[in-house]
Amino acid sequence: GDSVTQTEGQVALSEEDFLTIHCNYSASGYPALFWYVQYPGEGPQFLFRASRDKEKGSSRGFEATYDKGTTSFHLRKASVQESDSAVYYCALGTGNYKYVFGAGTRLKVIA
Amino acid sequence: EAAVTQSPRNKVAVTGGKVTLSCNQTNNHNNMYWYRQDTGHGLRLIHYSYGAGSTEKGDIPDGYKASRPSQENFSLILELATPSQTSVYFCASGDARGRPQNTLYFGAGTRLSVL
């Protein structure tokens, strides 16, 4: 079945560090790819998406590029802030409106 | 603004008891979803629905039933709760129009403990 793999379970960075969270997917067809962010005590909220090869999604300084060749959608940010501390989920959406999420990556940014 | 409301927010149940988690959305979305969140597993899909009267099995449906009596409401039912169902449960809604790149809107979650 369809699946999403996030390599990092936890990431700890200092403010202004560069962030990369790796996301790889396995799916039949041509899924849409998403990043969601979850703050403590809240539900996940949409960050951005991409729906075709080489498309870049971005929001709030975060970005990721859909790469069908490597089946990846890695999240990057050039300079993280303490307020970016949260759990980040990579997800895919399939043709029958089923959405599959990865295991999540907990980001902690130290001031 | 899109709104998904879950109730209760916290629930303690006994093993073997029946538990019903409720979800209401005011987004007028056709699709609704139930996920559970566990450390190391992320969000896993239990059941979903394409509209009133429809329910579909997700990736981990065993031990759960779902009910969609109306466009707005989607319930998750644990007929015989077990400690392994202790988790945080999230409901979400999504628009069914167009291609499947639509955003999901999540509720704030229900923390369930089965003792």
Coordinates of all heavy atoms in Angstrom, one line a residue, chain A residues 6-97:
Chain A
Q6 N 9.5 9.2 7.1 CA 10.3 10.3 7.6 C 11.5 9.8 8.3 O 11.3 9.0 9.3 CB 9.4 11.2 8.4 CG 8.3 12.0 7.7 CD 7.5 12.9 8.6 OE1 6.3 12.8 8.6 NE2 8.1 13.8 9.3
T7 N 12.6 10.1 7.9 CA 13.9 9.5 8.4 C 14.1 9.9 9.8 O 14.5 9.1 10.7 CB 15.1 9.9 7.5 OG1 14.7 9.6 6.2 CG2 16.3 9.2 8.0
E8 N 14.0 11.2 10.1 CA 14.3 11.8 11.4 C 13.1 11.7 12.4 O 12.1 12.3 12.1 CB 14.8 13.2 11.3 CG 16.1 13.4 10.5 CD 15.8 13.6 9.0 OE1 14.6 13.6 8.6 OE2 16.7 13.8 8.2
G9 N 13.3 11.1 13.5 CA 12.2 11.1 14.5 C 12.3 12.4 15.3 O 11.2 12.9 15.7
Q10 N 13.5 12.9 15.6 CA 13.6 14.1 16.4 C 14.8 14.9 15.8 O 15.8 14.3 15.4 CB 13.9 13.8 17.9 CG 12.8 13.2 18.6 CD 13.1 13.1 20.1 OE1 12.9 14.0 20.8 NE2 13.5 11.9 20.5
V11 N 14.7 16.2 15.8 CA 15.8 17.1 15.3 C 15.9 18.2 16.4 O 14.9 18.8 16.7 CB 15.5 17.7 14.0 CG1 16.5 18.7 13.6 CG2 15.4 16.6 12.9
A12 N 17.1 18.5 16.8 CA 17.4 19.6 17.7 C 18.4 20.5 17.0 O 19.4 20.1 16.5 CB 18.0 19.1 19.0
L13 N 18.0 21.8 17.0 CA 18.8 22.8 16.3 C 18.9 24.1 17.2 O 18.1 24.3 18.1 CB 18.2 23.2 14.9 CG 18.1 22.1 13.9 CD1 17.3 22.6 12.7 CD2 19.5 21.7 13.4
S14 N 19.9 24.9 16.8 CA 19.9 26.2 17.4 C 19.3 27.2 16.5 O 19.1 27.0 15.3 CB 21.4 26.6 17.7 OG 22.0 25.7 18.6
E15 N 18.8 28.4 17.0 CA 18.2 29.4 16.2 C 19.2 29.8 15.1 O 20.4 29.8 15.3 CB 17.9 30.6 17.0 CG 16.5 30.5 17.8 CD 16.0 31.8 18.3 OE1 16.8 32.7 18.6 OE2 14.8 31.9 18.3
E16 N 18.6 30.0 13.9 CA 19.4 30.4 12.7 C 20.0 29.3 12.0 O 20.6 29.5 10.9 CB 20.3 31.6 13.0 CG 19.7 32.8 13.5 CD 20.6 34.0 13.7 OE1 21.8 33.9 13.2 OE2 20.3 35.0 14.3
D17 N 19.9 28.1 12.5 CA 20.4 26.9 11.8 C 19.6 26.6 10.6 O 18.4 27.0 10.5 CB 20.5 25.7 12.8 CG 21.7 25.6 13.7 OD1 22.5 26.5 13.5 OD2 21.7 24.8 14.6
F18 N 20.2 25.8 9.7 CA 19.4 25.3 8.5 C 18.8 24.0 8.9 O 19.3 23.1 9.5 CB 20.4 25.1 7.4 CG 19.8 24.8 6.0 CD1 19.5 25.8 5.2 CD2 19.4 23.5 5.7 CE1 18.9 25.6 3.9 CE2 18.8 23.3 4.5 CZ 18.5 24.3 3.6
L19 N 17.5 23.9 8.4 CA 16.7 22.7 8.7 C 16.5 21.9 7.5 O 16.1 22.4 6.4 CB 15.3 23.1 9.3 CG 14.3 22.0 9.4 CD1 14.7 21.0 10.5 CD2 12.9 22.5 9.6
T20 N 16.7 20.5 7.6 CA 16.2 19.6 6.6 C 15.5 18.4 7.3 O 16.1 17.8 8.2 CB 17.4 19.0 5.7 OG1 18.0 20.1 5.1 CG2 16.8 18.1 4.7
I21 N 14.3 18.1 6.9 CA 13.6 16.9 7.3 C 13.3 16.1 6.1 O 12.7 16.6 5.2 CB 12.3 17.3 8.1 CG1 12.6 18.1 9.4 CG2 11.6 16.0 8.4 CD1 11.4 18.5 10.1
H22 N 13.8 14.9 6.1 CA 13.6 14.0 4.9 C 12.3 13.3 4.9 O 11.8 12.8 5.9 CB 14.8 13.0 4.8 CG 16.1 13.7 4.7 ND1 17.0 14.0 5.7 CD2 16.8 14.1 3.6 CE1 18.1 14.5 5.3 NE2 18.0 14.6 4.0
C23 N 11.7 13.3 3.7 CA 10.5 12.6 3.4 C 10.5 11.8 2.1 O 10.8 12.4 1.1 CB 9.3 13.6 3.4 SG 7.7 12.8 2.9
N24 N 10.3 10.5 2.2 CA 10.2 9.7 1.0 C 8.8 9.0 1.0 O 8.3 8.7 2.0 CB 11.3 8.7 0.9 CG 12.7 9.4 0.6 OD1 13.4 9.8 1.5 ND2 13.0 9.5 -0.7
Y25 N 8.3 8.8 -0.2 CA 7.0 8.2 -0.3 C 7.0 7.0 -1.3 O 7.9 6.9 -2.1 CB 6.0 9.2 -0.8 CG 6.1 9.7 -2.2 CD1 5.4 9.0 -3.2 CD2 7.0 10.7 -2.5 CE1 5.6 9.4 -4.5 CE2 7.1 11.1 -3.8 CZ 6.5 10.5 -4.8 OH 6.6 10.9 -6.2
S26 N 6.0 6.2 -1.1 CA 5.8 5.1 -2.0 C 4.3 5.0 -2.3 O 3.5 5.0 -1.4 CB 6.2 3.7 -1.4 OG 5.8 2.6 -2.2
A27 N 3.9 5.2 -3.6 CA 2.5 5.2 -4.0 C 2.3 4.8 -5.4 O 3.2 5.1 -6.2 CB 2.0 6.6 -3.7
S28 N 1.2 4.3 -5.7 CA 0.8 4.0 -7.1 C 0.2 5.3 -7.6 O -0.4 6.1 -6.9 CB -0.1 2.8 -7.2 OG -1.2 3.1 -6.4
G29 N 0.4 5.5 -8.9 CA -0.2 6.7 -9.5 C 0.6 8.0 -9.1 O 1.8 7.9 -8.9
Y30 N -0.1 9.1 -9.1 CA 0.6 10.4 -9.0 C 0.0 11.1 -7.8 O -0.9 11.9 -7.9 CB 0.4 11.2 -10.2 CG 1.5 12.1 -10.6 CD1 2.0 12.1 -12.0 CD2 2.1 13.0 -9.7 CE1 3.0 13.0 -12.3 CE2 3.1 13.8 -10.1 CZ 3.5 13.8 -11.4 OH 4.5 14.7 -11.8
P31 N 0.5 10.9 -6.6 CA -0.1 11.5 -5.4 C 0.2 13.0 -5.2 O 1.2 13.5 -5.8 CB 0.5 10.7 -4.2 CG 1.9 10.4 -4.7 CD 1.7 10.1 -6.2
A32 N -0.6 13.7 -4.5 CA -0.3 15.0 -4.0 C 0.5 14.8 -2.8 O 0.3 13.9 -2.0 CB -1.6 15.8 -3.8
L33 N 1.4 15.8 -2.5 CA 2.3 15.7 -1.3 C 2.1 16.9 -0.5 O 1.9 18.0 -1.0 CB 3.8 15.6 -1.7 CG 4.1 14.4 -2.6 CD1 5.6 14.4 -3.1 CD2 3.8 13.1 -1.8
F34 N 2.1 16.7 0.9 CA 1.8 17.8 1.8 C 2.8 17.8 2.9 O 3.4 16.8 3.3 CB 0.5 17.5 2.5 CG -0.7 17.4 1.5 CD1 -1.0 16.2 0.8 CD2 -1.6 18.5 1.4 CE1 -2.0 16.1 0.0 CE2 -2.7 18.4 0.5 CZ -2.9 17.2 -0.2
W35 N 2.9 18.9 3.6 CA 3.5 19.1 4.9 C 2.5 19.7 5.8 O 1.9 20.7 5.4 CB 4.8 19.9 4.9 CG 6.0 19.1 4.4 CD1 6.6 19.1 3.2 CD2 6.8 18.2 5.2 NE1 7.7 18.3 3.2 CE2 7.8 17.7 4.4 CE3 6.7 17.8 6.6 CZ2 8.7 16.8 4.9 CZ3 7.6 16.9 7.0 CH2 8.6 16.4 6.2
Y36 N 2.4 19.1 7.0 CA 1.5 19.6 8.1 C 2.4 19.9 9.3 O 3.4 19.2 9.5 CB 0.5 18.6 8.4 CG -0.7 18.5 7.5 CD1 -0.6 17.9 6.3 CD2 -1.9 19.2 7.8 CE1 -1.7 17.8 5.4 CE2 -3.0 19.1 6.9 CZ -2.8 18.4 5.7 OH -3.9 18.4 4.8
V37 N 2.0 20.8 10.1 CA 2.7 21.1 11.4 C 1.7 21.0 12.5 O 0.5 21.4 12.4 CB 3.4 22.5 11.3 CG1 2.3 23.6 11.0 CG2 4.1 22.8 12.6
Q38 N 2.2 20.5 13.6 CA 1.4 20.4 14.8 C 2.1 21.0 16.0 O 3.2 20.6 16.4 CB 1.1 18.9 15.1 CG 0.1 18.6 16.3 CD -0.1 17.2 16.5 OE1 0.7 16.3 16.1 NE2 -1.2 16.8 17.2
Y39 N 1.4 21.9 16.6 CA 1.9 22.6 17.9 C 1.2 21.9 19.1 O 0.2 21.2 19.0 CB 1.5 24.1 17.9 CG 2.2 24.8 16.7 CD1 1.4 25.1 15.6 CD2 3.5 25.1 16.7 CE1 2.0 25.8 14.5 CE2 4.1 25.7 15.7 CZ 3.4 26.1 14.6 OH 4.0 26.7 13.5
P40 N 1.9 21.9 20.2 CA 1.4 21.2 21.4 C -0.1 21.5 21.7 O -0.5 22.7 21.7 CB 2.3 21.7 22.5 CG 3.6 22.1 21.8 CD 3.2 22.6 20.5
G41 N -0.9 20.5 22.0 CA -2.3 20.7 22.3 C -3.2 21.0 21.2 O -4.4 21.2 21.4
E42 N -2.7 20.9 20.0 CA -3.5 21.3 18.8 C -3.5 20.1 17.8 O -2.7 19.2 17.9 CB -3.0 22.5 18.1 CG -3.0 23.7 19.0 CD -2.5 25.0 18.2 OE1 -2.2 24.9 17.0 OE2 -2.3 26.0 18.9
G43 N -4.5 20.2 16.9 CA -4.4 19.2 15.8 C -3.4 19.7 14.7 O -3.0 20.9 14.7
P44 N -3.0 18.8 13.8 CA -2.1 19.2 12.7 C -2.8 20.3 11.8 O -4.0 20.3 11.7 CB -1.9 17.9 11.9 CG -2.2 16.8 12.9 CD -3.3 17.3 13.8
Q45 N -2.0 21.1 11.3 CA -2.5 22.2 10.4 C -1.7 22.2 9.1 O -0.5 22.0 9.2 CB -2.6 23.5 11.1 CG -1.3 24.0 11.6 CD -1.4 25.4 12.4 OE1 -1.2 26.4 11.8 NE2 -1.7 25.3 13.6
F46 N -2.3 22.5 8.0 CA -1.7 22.5 6.7 C -0.6 23.5 6.7 O -0.8 24.7 7.1 CB -2.8 22.8 5.7 CG -2.4 23.0 4.3 CD1 -2.0 22.0 3.5 CD2 -2.3 24.3 3.8 CE1 -1.6 22.2 2.2 CE2 -2.0 24.6 2.5 CZ -1.6 23.5 1.7
L47 N 0.5 23.1 6.1 CA 1.6 24.1 5.9 C 1.7 24.4 4.4 O 1.6 25.6 4.0 CB 2.9 23.4 6.3 CG 4.2 24.3 6.5 CD1 3.9 25.5 7.3 CD2 5.4 23.5 7.0
F48 N 1.9 23.4 3.5 CA 1.8 23.7 2.1 C 1.7 22.3 1.3 O 1.9 21.3 2.0 CB 3.0 24.5 1.6 CG 4.3 23.9 1.8 CD1 4.8 22.9 1.0 CD2 5.1 24.3 2.9 CE1 6.1 22.3 1.2 CE2 6.4 23.7 3.1 CZ 6.9 22.7 2.3
R49 N 1.5 22.4 0.0 CA 1.4 21.1 -0.8 C 2.1 21.3 -2.1 O 2.4 22.5 -2.6 CB 0.0 20.8 -1.0 CG -0.8 21.8 -1.8 CD -2.2 21.4 -2.0 NE -3.0 22.5 -2.5 CZ -4.0 23.0 -1.8 NH1 -4.4 22.5 -0.7 NH2 -4.7 24.0 -2.3
A50 N 2.3 20.2 -2.8 CA 2.7 20.2 -4.2 C 2.0 19.0 -4.9 O 1.8 18.0 -4.3 CB 4.2 20.1 -4.4
S51 N 1.7 19.2 -6.2 CA 0.9 18.1 -6.8 C 1.5 17.6 -8.1 O 0.9 16.7 -8.7 CB -0.6 18.6 -7.0 OG -0.6 19.8 -7.8
R52 N 2.6 18.2 -8.5 CA 3.2 17.6 -9.8 C 4.7 17.7 -9.6 O 5.3 18.4 -8.8 CB 2.7 18.4 -11.0 CG 3.0 19.8 -10.9 CD 2.4 20.6 -12.2 NE 2.8 22.0 -12.2 CZ 2.1 22.9 -11.5 NH1 1.0 22.5 -10.8 NH2 2.4 24.2 -11.6
D53 N 5.4 16.9 -10.5 CA 6.8 16.8 -10.4 C 7.5 18.1 -10.6 O 7.1 18.9 -11.4 CB 7.3 15.8 -11.5 CG 8.7 15.4 -11.4 OD1 9.3 15.4 -10.3 OD2 9.3 15.0 -12.4
K54 N 8.5 18.4 -9.8 CA 9.3 19.6 -9.8 C 8.6 20.8 -9.3 O 9.2 21.9 -9.2 CB 9.8 19.9 -11.2 CG 10.6 18.8 -11.9 CD 11.9 18.4 -11.1 CE 12.7 17.4 -11.8 NZ 12.8 16.1 -11.0
E55 N 7.4 20.7 -8.8 CA 6.7 21.8 -8.2 C 7.2 22.1 -6.8 O 7.4 21.2 -6.1 CB 5.2 21.6 -8.1 CG 4.4 22.7 -7.5 CD 2.9 22.4 -7.4 OE1 2.4 21.3 -7.8 OE2 2.1 23.3 -6.9
K56 N 7.4 23.3 -6.5 CA 7.9 23.7 -5.1 C 6.7 24.3 -4.4 O 6.0 25.2 -4.8 CB 9.0 24.7 -5.2 CG 9.6 25.1 -3.8 CD 10.9 25.8 -3.9 CE 10.7 27.3 -4.2 NZ 12.0 28.0 -4.1
G57 N 6.5 23.8 -3.2 CA 5.6 24.3 -2.2 C 6.3 25.1 -1.2 O 7.5 24.8 -0.9
S58 N 5.7 26.2 -0.6 CA 6.4 26.9 0.4 C 5.4 27.7 1.3 O 4.2 28.0 0.8 CB 7.3 27.9 -0.2 OG 6.6 28.9 -1.0
S59 N 5.8 28.0 2.5 CA 5.0 28.8 3.4 C 5.8 29.1 4.6 O 6.6 28.2 5.1 CB 3.7 28.0 3.8 OG 3.0 28.7 4.8
R60 N 5.7 30.3 5.1 CA 6.4 30.7 6.4 C 7.9 30.5 6.3 O 8.5 30.2 7.4 CB 5.8 30.1 7.6 CG 4.3 30.1 7.7 CD 3.8 29.4 8.9 NE 2.5 28.8 8.8 CZ 2.0 28.0 9.8 NH1 2.6 27.8 10.9 NH2 0.8 27.5 9.6
G61 N 8.5 30.5 5.2 CA 10.0 30.3 5.1 C 10.3 28.8 4.9 O 11.5 28.5 4.6
F62 N 9.4 27.9 5.0 CA 9.6 26.5 4.7 C 9.3 26.2 3.3 O 8.5 26.8 2.6 CB 8.6 25.6 5.6 CG 8.9 25.7 7.0 CD1 8.2 26.6 7.8 CD2 9.8 24.8 7.6 CE1 8.5 26.6 9.2 CE2 10.0 24.8 9.0 CZ 9.4 25.7 9.8
E63 N 10.0 25.3 2.7 CA 9.8 24.9 1.3 C 10.2 23.4 1.1 O 10.9 22.8 1.9 CB 10.6 25.8 0.4 CG 12.1 25.7 0.5 CD 12.8 26.5 -0.5 OE1 12.4 27.7 -0.7 OE2 13.9 26.1 -1.0
A64 N 9.6 22.9 0.0 CA 9.9 21.5 -0.4 C 9.6 21.4 -1.9 O 8.7 22.0 -2.4 CB 9.1 20.5 0.4
T65 N 10.3 20.5 -2.6 CA 10.1 20.3 -4.0 C 9.8 18.9 -4.3 O 10.4 18.0 -3.8 CB 11.4 20.7 -4.8 OG1 11.7 22.1 -4.5 CG2 11.2 20.5 -6.3
Y66 N 8.7 18.7 -5.0 CA 8.2 17.4 -5.4 C 9.2 16.8 -6.4 O 9.5 17.3 -7.4 CB 6.9 17.6 -6.1 CG 6.0 16.3 -6.3 CD1 4.7 16.4 -6.0 CD2 6.5 15.2 -6.9 CE1 3.8 15.3 -6.2 CE2 5.7 14.1 -7.1 CZ 4.4 14.1 -6.7 OH 3.5 13.0 -7.0
D67 N 9.8 15.6 -6.0 CA 10.7 15.0 -6.9 C 10.2 13.5 -7.1 O 10.4 12.6 -6.3 CB 12.1 14.9 -6.2 CG 13.2 14.5 -7.2 OD1 12.9 13.6 -8.1 OD2 14.3 14.9 -7.1
K68 N 9.7 13.3 -8.3 CA 9.1 12.0 -8.6 C 10.2 11.0 -8.9 O 10.0 9.8 -8.6 CB 8.2 12.1 -9.9 CG 7.2 11.0 -10.1 CD 6.2 11.3 -11.2 CE 5.1 10.3 -11.2 NZ 5.6 8.9 -11.5
G69 N 11.3 11.4 -9.4 CA 12.4 10.5 -9.6 C 13.0 9.9 -8.4 O 13.2 8.7 -8.4
T70 N 13.1 10.6 -7.3 CA 13.6 10.1 -6.1 C 12.5 9.8 -5.1 O 12.8 9.5 -3.9 CB 14.7 11.0 -5.4 OG1 14.0 12.3 -5.2 CG2 15.9 11.2 -6.4
T71 N 11.3 10.0 -5.5 CA 10.1 9.9 -4.6 C 10.3 10.6 -3.3 O 10.1 10.0 -2.2 CB 9.7 8.4 -4.4 OG1 10.7 7.7 -3.8 CG2 9.3 7.8 -5.7
S72 N 10.7 11.9 -3.4 CA 11.0 12.6 -2.1 C 10.3 14.0 -2.1 O 9.9 14.5 -3.1 CB 12.5 12.8 -2.0 OG 12.9 13.7 -3.1
F73 N 10.2 14.5 -0.9 CA 9.5 15.8 -0.7 C 10.1 16.4 0.6 O 9.4 16.5 1.6 CB 8.0 15.7 -0.6 CG 7.2 16.9 -0.7 CD1 7.4 17.8 -1.8 CD2 6.3 17.2 0.3 CE1 6.6 19.0 -1.9 CE2 5.5 18.4 0.2 CZ 5.7 19.3 -0.9
H74 N 11.4 16.7 0.6 CA 12.1 17.0 1.8 C 11.8 18.5 2.2 O 11.8 19.4 1.4 CB 13.6 16.9 1.6 CG 14.1 15.6 1.1 ND1 13.6 14.4 1.7 CD2 15.0 15.2 0.1 CE1 14.1 13.4 1.1 NE2 15.0 13.8 0.1
L75 N 11.6 18.7 3.5 CA 11.3 20.0 4.1 C 12.6 20.7 4.4 O 13.4 20.1 5.1 CB 10.4 19.8 5.3 CG 10.0 21.1 6.0 CD1 9.0 21.9 5.1 CD2 9.3 20.8 7.4
R76 N 12.7 22.0 4.0 CA 13.9 22.8 4.3 C 13.5 24.2 4.8 O 12.4 24.7 4.4 CB 14.8 22.9 3.1 CG 15.1 21.6 2.5 CD 16.1 21.7 1.3 NE 16.1 20.6 0.4 CZ 16.8 19.5 0.6 NH1 17.6 19.4 1.7 NH2 16.8 18.5 -0.2
K77 N 14.3 24.7 5.7 CA 14.2 26.1 6.0 C 15.6 26.7 6.3 O 16.4 26.0 7.0 CB 13.3 26.3 7.3 CG 13.0 27.8 7.6 CD 12.1 27.9 8.8 CE 11.7 29.4 8.9 NZ 10.9 29.7 10.1
A78 N 15.8 27.8 5.8 CA 17.2 28.4 5.8 C 17.6 28.8 7.3 O 18.8 28.6 7.6 CB 17.3 29.5 4.9
S79 N 16.7 29.3 8.0 CA 17.1 29.8 9.3 C 15.9 29.6 10.3 O 14.9 30.3 10.2 CB 17.4 31.3 9.2 OG 17.7 31.9 10.5
V80 N 16.0 28.6 11.2 CA 14.9 28.3 12.1 C 14.9 29.2 13.3 O 15.9 29.8 13.7 CB 14.9 26.8 12.5 CG1 14.7 25.9 11.4 CG2 16.2 26.5 13.3
Q81 N 13.6 29.4 13.8 CA 13.4 30.2 15.0 C 12.8 29.3 16.1 O 12.3 28.2 15.8 CB 12.5 31.4 14.7 CG 13.0 32.3 13.6 CD 14.3 32.9 14.0 OE1 14.5 33.4 15.1 NE2 15.3 32.8 13.0
E82 N 12.9 29.8 17.3 CA 12.4 29.0 18.5 C 10.9 28.7 18.2 O 10.4 27.6 18.6 CB 12.6 29.7 19.8 CG 12.3 28.9 21.0 CD 12.7 29.6 22.3 OE1 12.9 30.8 22.3 OE2 12.7 28.9 23.3
S83 N 10.2 29.6 17.6 CA 8.8 29.4 17.4 C 8.4 28.3 16.4 O 7.3 28.0 16.2 CB 8.1 30.7 16.9 OG 8.8 31.2 15.8
D84 N 9.5 27.8 15.7 CA 9.3 26.7 14.7 C 9.2 25.4 15.4 O 8.9 24.4 14.8 CB 10.4 26.7 13.7 CG 10.3 27.9 12.8 OD1 9.2 28.4 12.5 OD2 11.4 28.4 12.4
S85 N 9.5 25.4 16.7 CA 9.5 24.1 17.4 C 8.1 23.5 17.4 O 7.1 24.1 17.8 CB 9.9 24.3 18.9 OG 11.2 24.8 19.0
A86 N 8.0 22.3 16.9 CA 6.7 21.6 16.6 C 7.0 20.2 16.1 O 8.1 19.8 15.9 CB 5.8 22.4 15.6
V87 N 5.9 19.5 15.8 CA 6.0 18.2 15.1 C 5.6 18.4 13.6 O 4.5 19.1 13.4 CB 5.1 17.1 15.7 CG1 5.2 15.8 15.0 CG2 5.5 16.9 17.2
Y88 N 6.4 17.9 12.7 CA 6.1 18.1 11.3 C 5.8 16.8 10.7 O 6.5 15.8 10.9 CB 7.3 18.8 10.6 CG 7.5 20.2 11.1 CD1 8.2 20.5 12.2 CD2 7.0 21.3 10.3 CE1 8.4 21.8 12.7 CE2 7.2 22.6 10.8 CZ 7.9 22.8 11.9 OH 8.0 24.1 12.4
Y89 N 4.7 16.8 9.9 CA 4.3 15.5 9.2 C 4.3 15.7 7.7 O 3.7 16.7 7.2 CB 2.8 15.2 9.6 CG 2.7 14.7 11.0 CD1 2.3 15.5 12.1 CD2 2.9 13.3 11.3 CE1 2.1 15.0 13.3 CE2 2.7 12.8 12.5 CZ 2.3 13.6 13.6 OH 2.2 13.1 14.8
C90 N 4.9 14.8 7.0 CA 4.8 14.6 5.6 C 3.6 13.7 5.3 O 3.3 12.8 6.0 CB 6.1 14.1 5.0 SG 6.2 13.9 3.3
A91 N 2.9 14.0 4.2 CA 1.7 13.2 3.9 C 1.5 13.2 2.4 O 2.0 14.0 1.7 CB 0.4 13.8 4.6
L92 N 0.8 12.1 2.0 CA 0.4 12.1 0.5 C -1.1 11.9 0.4 O -1.8 11.3 1.3 CB 1.1 11.0 -0.2 CG 0.9 9.5 0.2 CD1 -0.3 8.9 -0.4 CD2 2.1 8.7 -0.2
G93 N -1.7 12.4 -0.7 CA -3.1 12.2 -0.9 C -3.3 11.4 -2.2 O -2.7 11.8 -3.2
T94 N -4.1 10.4 -2.2 CA -4.3 9.5 -3.3 C -5.5 9.8 -4.1 O -6.3 10.7 -3.7 CB -4.4 8.1 -2.8 OG1 -5.6 7.9 -2.1 CG2 -3.2 7.7 -1.9
G95 N -5.7 9.1 -5.2 CA -6.8 9.4 -6.1 C -8.2 9.1 -5.5 O -9.2 9.7 -6.0
N96 N -8.3 8.4 -4.4 CA -9.6 8.1 -3.8 C -9.7 8.9 -2.5 O -10.4 8.5 -1.6 CB -9.8 6.6 -3.5 CG -8.7 6.1 -2.6 OD1 -7.7 6.7 -2.3 ND2 -8.9 4.8 -2.2
Y97 N -9.0 10.0 -2.4 CA -9.1 11.0 -1.3 C -8.7 10.3 0.1 O -9.2 10.7 1.1 CB -10.5 11.5 -1.1 CG -10.9 12.4 -2.3 CD1 -11.7 11.8 -3.3 CD2 -10.5 13.7 -2.5 CE1 -12.0 12.6 -4.5 CE2 -10.8 14.4 -3.6 CZ -11.6 13.9 -4.6 OH -11.9 14.6 -5.7

